[in-house]
Amino acid sequence: MNTQHEQAFQLHQLHTKGDPLVLINIWDAGSAQAVQSIGAKAIATGSWSVAAAHGYEDGETLPFPLVLENLKRIKENVDLPVTIDIEGGYGLNPDEVKVNVGLVIENGAVGINLEDQRIGEEGLYTIPDQSLRISAARAAGEQAGLPLFINARTDIFFQTAAGQHASCIEQTLSRAHAYAEAGANGIFVPGLSDARLIEVLCSQSPLPVNVMVTSHTPSLGQLAELGVARISYGPLPYIEAMNSLKEVGLAALSLGN
């Protein structure tokens, strides 16, 4: 097993434009082991899936101690770099974000997702405010002596109708540049599925681009050709696993009737 520092460096190296890191997002130690067993290069949690697996809604309703306990169990059961989705950092101000990111690092993570959506509210943090929060996360990594991979998520495309996504590219690029200056290592754009816009973003972003798979996104091969460096599956694996469980259960119960 590599050291945490080595795993952090490994995670950075896996983000290659045109040869993307593919992450099958998991929710607990068992699902992490399953994904590791099929040859994954890294382990990534998805906040929606982790919350649902614990009986909670997404949006930081899962108590942070449970987030950390779940991370600890995942890390104890896999040998791969682990990056964790901590939504908005479970803190409104940069100091809270720094403390919480420090705890995530203590429990073995080498990467985080940190979003700019205001949890429980409408709208996004302003660019200056979110930049301060990213800088706080970076400071936590530096304090721990770890090159933490900060995947800066922007919810611009989730909060804008698909027909208006083209108008969001300049704002997204502004955020990508600001977030890069603040210490981010990647830009995550869930909700964006238009191939032309993905290509524009990948060609102009100062940060590696992370796209989330949906029924509308291009194929994995196409995403690689467009210049994507990271592909996430978000809640899809959890949803499909639960649907499969229901199908097995319904078939079994029907035999008993």
Side-chain angles (χ1 to χ4, degrees):
M1 182 185 299
N2 294 332
T3 66
Q4 188 178 16
H5 189 279
E6 290 170 334
Q7 289 188 341
F9 180 74
Q10 182 182 355
L11 183 61
H12 280 265
Q13 294 297 105
L14 289 170
H15 289 76
T16 304
K17 186 175 181 179
D19 183 19
L21 168 64
V22 178
L23 297 171
I24 312 300
N25 297 83
I26 56 86
W27 51 93
D28 62 9
S31 55
Q33 287 180 316
V35 168
Q36 176 173 267
S37 73
I38 60 172
K41 296 180 179 179
I43 298 295
T45 68
S47 65
W48 191 97
S49 305
V50 171
H54 286 81
Y56 289 83
E57 296 290 329
D58 197 23
E60 295 186 6
T61 64
L62 178 67
F64 194 59
L66 284 183
V67 174
L68 295 176
E69 178 61 28
N70 190 52
L71 168 61
K72 181 180 179 182
R73 292 186 180 187
I74 290 168
K75 195 66 191 70
E76 289 174 346
N77 285 277
V78 295
D79 298 323
L80 297 173
V82 174
T83 179
I84 179 175
D85 182 349
I86 56 170
E87 302 190 68
Y90 277 77
L92 296 177
N93 62 65
D95 288 340
E96 291 173 328
V97 172
K98 181 181 178 182
V99 169
N100 291 337
V101 172
L103 291 171
V104 164
I105 292 171
E106 285 181 17
N107 282 276
V110 296
I112 60 168
N113 277 9
L114 185 64
E115 65 191 59
D116 57 15
Q117 175 178 300
R118 300 181 68 91
I119 303 297
E121 303 178 22
E122 293 184 2
L124 309 178
Y125 284 100
T126 65
I127 291 177
D129 283 347
Q130 185 63 6
S131 294
L132 288 174
R133 291 156 52 76
I134 291 170
S135 293
R138 172 56 57 213
E142 292 174 351
Q143 186 172 304
L146 185 77
L148 180 74
F149 191 100
I150 301 173
N151 198 32
R153 167 175 158 167
T154 181
D155 275 40
I156 291 174
F157 298 102
F158 268 160
Q159 297 194 3
T160 307
Q164 299 176 351
H165 280 182
S167 65
C168 299
I169 292 297
E170 286 305 316
Q171 183 186 166
T172 303
L173 287 169
S174 293
R175 287 185 178 264
H177 280 278
Y179 295 171
E181 290 181 9
N185 305 105
I187 184 77
F188 182 24
V189 288
L192 180 61
S193 59
D194 184 284
R196 180 179 60 87
L197 298 180
I198 291 172
E199 185 174 31
V200 170
L201 185 59
C202 290
S203 67
Q204 298 184 31
S205 172
L207 295 170
V209 174
N210 179 187
V211 170
M212 186 173 76
V213 171
T214 70
S215 59
H216 304 293
T217 46
S219 68
L220 299 189
Q222 288 174 310
L223 288 174
E225 291 176 358
L226 294 172
V228 172
R230 173 167 167 165
I231 299 171
S232 303
Y233 273 74
L236 184 61
Y238 179 84
I239 292 170
E240 292 193 352
M242 293 303 104
N243 286 340
S244 178
L245 176 62
K246 291 175 184 177
E247 290 175 5
V248 170
L250 285 171
L253 292 173
S254 66
L255 293 176
N257 294 330

